[in-house]
Amino acid sequence: MKLSYSPASPYVRKVMACAIARGIDGRIEKVPTNPHVSPEELLKLNPLSKVPTLLGEDGVAYFDSPVICEYLDTVGDAPTLLPDAGPARLKALRQQAIGDGIMDAAVACRGESQRPKEEARDAVMARHKAAVSRALDLLEREVDALSGPLTLGSLGVACALGYLDFRFAADAWREGHPKLATWYESVAKHKALADTAPVG
């Protein structure tokens, strides 16, 4: 398998954490890719020119981290990270959605912060930061649901929180979210997360 990636991407981190958790990371060749310049090699696999993009063992190109992670959940014989149909699966998918939503807002906010300062930019950043704040409040209320074996949902939430630490450390998300902070400190020690700490 080949993974087009950027080291600072929280979505890439989620994919690699998933692979490590399932013990198949050694089967993935990582290809450094700058999607912002739309390299031809990436466009052949993903017309959206986004990372992560995974060329699977089946010869199919998979993109969007939830799809890639679901594909990786079928590779190898380790226990799956996405439970079978039913309440447990819906819980994991819901957690993944909130984690991805935090990443979406934080990545967009990071992009805006690189633009010249102006009123419109500040308004967009405030909207994204408010979304992150509301999501953190939800996770604080529902932190007990994150406990137990790792799932695609809890991995996604952990990667989102790690991205906040990486890009927005001054925002101190732990303040007001003590239970979530305690959960994160515990889960961040897992090899899948410790080995994928963001860089760049």
Side-chain angles (χ1 to χ4, degrees), residues 21-155:
R22 302 204 71 249
I24 58 173
D25 50 303
R27 294 162 68 169
I28 297 176
E29 175 188 347
K30 297 197 299 184
V31 181
T33 306
N34 181 353
H36 302 294
V37 299
S38 298
E40 183 178 349
E41 299 78 15
L42 178 60
L43 294 180
K44 287 177 181 176
L45 300 173
N46 183 349
L48 303 174
S49 191
K50 290 185 175 183
V51 295
T53 294
L54 180 80
L55 182 60
E57 292 179 341
D58 55 4
V60 176
Y62 295 96
F63 33 89
D64 195 55
S65 64
V67 176
I68 295 173
C69 289
E70 187 152 358
Y71 168 74
L72 291 177
D73 222 21
T74 70
V75 177
D77 54 8
T80 60
L81 294 170
L82 192 58
D84 292 334
R89 182 183 181 88
L90 288 172
K91 181 175 81 169
L93 289 173
R94 184 171 178 269
Q95 290 169 347
Q96 179 179 221
I98 199 76
D100 284 354
I102 291 172
M103 291 184 219
D104 292 345
V107 168
C109 196
R110 166 73 178 171
E112 288 294 323
S113 73
Q114 306 303 301
R115 299 180 189 277
K117 187 172 177 62
E118 62 179 9
E119 186 176 339
R121 182 204 80 156
D122 292 348
V124 170
M125 289 180 65
R127 181 176 180 274
H128 290 310
K129 287 187 176 188
V132 170
S133 179
R134 291 190 300 269
L136 292 172
D137 290 346
L138 175 90
L139 290 169
E140 177 72 8
R141 293 192 302 270
E142 299 184 3
V143 70
D144 291 344
L146 291 167
S147 62
L150 281 179
T151 68
L152 203 47
S154 56
L155 271 178

Side-chain angles (χ1 to χ4, degrees), residues 1-19:
M1 294 179 282
K2 289 187 177 182
L3 180 70
S4 300
Y5 84 103
S6 171
S9 166
Y11 309 102
V12 169
R13 183 186 188 194
K14 184 175 74 166
V15 166
M16 287 308 302
C18 175

